Amino acid sequence: MGRVDSYTKRESGVELLKIGAIFIIVLEHVLQTLCHQNTFIPYHDYAIDLSHATSNIQLLVLSMLRISGSLGNMIFFICSAWFLLEKKNKNTKKIFFMLTEIWFVSVSILLVSWLIMGGENIANSLVFKSFFPTICNNNWYMTCYIIFYAIHPALNKLIAGMNQRNLLKSAVVLCGMYVLINYVKHGPTFFYTNLMLWVAVYFMIAYMKFYLKDMSSSKKINLILLFVGIFGHFGLVALTNFMELRFGFPSGQLLYWDKNCSPFVILIAVSLLNFARGARWRSLMVNRISSLTLLIYIVHENIIIRTYARPLMWEWIYQNLGYQYILLWAVLCAVGIFVLTTLLSLLWQIFVQSHVRKISDKFYLLVRHLYNALEARMNVPSK
């Protein structure tokens, strides 16, 4: 009953935005499978190259959609960042629960795949990674988010100690280094990682939240930001396509703009968040589906599923339907995977999640007991 009440009380605008973000990510992963050859399977005739210029409008749209997974990732992060800025402490139990649930989902899918495919047909390296999903970065977003969540109270304390001028300087310098420069430059610089990118964006969101309240609530300004972001994000792909078709260079660079640090992606995500925050409506169904988004993420992008199941899906389409309507097939596959993984995630939440939570709580108590013993051994004074 308490869970239903919590769903009912949430504003649904941001929750619906998160659902849209996870669908974008599912679609991008479907296309990622389509254009990447997989060394773990013996067939590759289904794969097509989306990095070169084309006069086929379907392929050009697929290339544009292929670089849009970064948009889904950024929407997810910015939605989380907006609310994390209000918190002073982290919930350590939440970290243990995420680690435990990721492990159980990964191992469960491995065991089901083992029964269906036979153990000899699953690469040993994937079996190993399935047992260590967080350490092996099977889903980079989850590993990065757990680390960021653990350090966000320290970032909040740092931000709270800054005046407006210093916060603006920090946001401008960090975004200059980890957004603008790394977006244009080929290859990472300033020791760029997704974690450093998130820290930079976090400072930017903090400045917007605390000092740009009127601007962030302006529909006109956010509409401008949205159109600039969309035009820049997709326009660069169209321009790169035109340049290669017309002049022959740059060659094979349509996917060059597939970067999490895209300033256009950030503009789109920020404007959509501001629009979503202005929504004053509640939907139990929307909020319930939104609560499943991280489960949908780790299920549909499980290392076994993305290595064996999705290529098989595209191979069947290629052999039986052909690619005349490939854009339609891509969208339908994304919808099907989204619906299926949503249902599986809902069943997991209803029948399994409470048991996983009990195990994670016991794990947390054990680790806390061991750490307290270490502190006592090291003569660390109590608070």
Side-chain angles (χ1 to χ4, degrees), residues 77-91 145 147-163 167 170 174 198-207 209-211:
F77 174 71
I78 286 180
C79 288
S80 299
W82 184 266
F83 297 105
L84 288 178
L85 281 163
E86 302 171 359
K87 299 182 181 298
K88 295 182 179 180
N89 300 301
K90 64 179 179 290
N91 184 347
Y145 180 77
I147 296 172
F148 187 89
Y149 181 80
I151 67 172
H152 87 271
L155 295 176
N156 287 355
K157 187 176 294 186
L158 180 62
I159 290 170
M162 293 180 174
N163 57 31
L167 180 56
S170 299
L174 287 172
W198 283 7
V199 171
V201 174
Y202 197 66
F203 275 73
M204 181 196 73
I205 296 297
Y207 190 84
K209 184 181 181 77
F210 299 138
Y211 298 109

Side-chain angles (χ1 to χ4, degrees), residues 103-164:
W103 188 87
F104 269 99
V105 169
S106 179
V107 172
S108 296
I109 293 177
L110 172 64
L111 293 178
V112 172
S113 302
W114 191 284
L115 292 174
I116 295 175
M117 299 173 57
E120 68 279 0
N121 295 316
I122 301 177
N124 291 333
S125 60
L126 300 185
V127 173
F128 177 84
K129 289 181 177 181
S130 294
F131 278 104
F132 301 96
T134 303
I135 294 175
C136 295
N137 286 334
N138 289 2
N139 302 115
W140 73 265
Y141 186 98
M142 300 306 302
T143 301
C144 195
Y145 180 77
I146 289 171
I147 296 172
F148 187 89
Y149 181 80
I151 67 172
H152 87 271
L155 295 176
N156 287 355
K157 187 176 294 186
L158 180 62
I159 290 170
M162 293 180 174
N163 57 31
Q164 181 177 358

Side-chain angles (χ1 to χ4, degrees), residues 310-363:
R310 289 211 304 260
L312 185 62
M313 172 192 73
W314 274 119
E315 178 69 10
W316 186 91
I317 291 173
Y318 176 74
Q319 294 291 344
N320 293 277
L321 302 176
Y323 281 177
Q324 183 179 359
Y325 304 105
I326 189 170
L327 179 58
L328 176 63
W329 305 146
V331 173
L332 290 178
C333 286
V335 171
I337 291 172
F338 177 80
V339 172
L340 178 60
T341 50
T342 298
L343 293 175
L344 291 174
S345 299
L346 181 60
L347 292 174
W348 179 277
Q349 188 183 74
I350 294 172
F351 296 108
V352 182
Q353 196 171 71
S354 60
H355 302 290
V356 174
R357 192 177 297 278
K358 291 177 182 178
I359 294 172
S360 72
D361 288 345
K362 292 180 180 179
F363 180 41

Side-chain angles (χ1 to χ4, degrees), residues 14-79:
V14 175
E15 305 304 320
L16 182 61
L17 180 59
K18 290 164 62 179
I19 295 173
I22 192 63
F23 179 75
I24 292 172
I25 291 171
V26 170
L27 177 57
E28 192 272 342
H29 286 156
V30 166
L31 297 177
Q32 192 177 73
T33 299
L34 174 64
C35 64
H36 283 178
Q37 290 195 0
N38 188 335
T39 58
F40 291 94
I41 57 177
Y43 52 87
H44 304 106
D45 50 340
Y46 68 88
I48 60 175
D49 187 0
L50 295 177
S51 64
H52 283 278
T54 177
S55 56
N56 185 319
I57 189 63
Q58 287 194 92
L59 297 184
L60 181 58
V61 172
L62 288 177
S63 296
M64 291 180 176
L65 294 175
R66 170 65 182 81
I67 71 166
S68 296
S70 55
L71 174 59
N73 293 328
M74 189 56 67
I75 290 174
F76 254 119
F77 174 71
I78 286 180
C79 288

Side-chain angles (χ1 to χ4, degrees), residues 269-309:
V270 167
S271 60
L272 290 177
L273 172 63
N274 288 333
F275 281 125
R277 288 191 303 107
R280 293 291 181 264
W281 58 282
R282 293 182 176 89
S283 167
L284 177 61
M285 183 178 70
V286 168
N287 294 353
R288 187 63 184 264
I289 296 174
S290 177
S291 73
L292 301 171
T293 48
L294 290 181
L295 273 174
I296 294 171
Y297 193 104
I298 60 178
V299 171
H300 95 274
E301 187 61 1
N302 172 267
I303 195 168
I304 302 294
I305 291 175
R306 71 174 183 244
T307 301
Y308 296 109

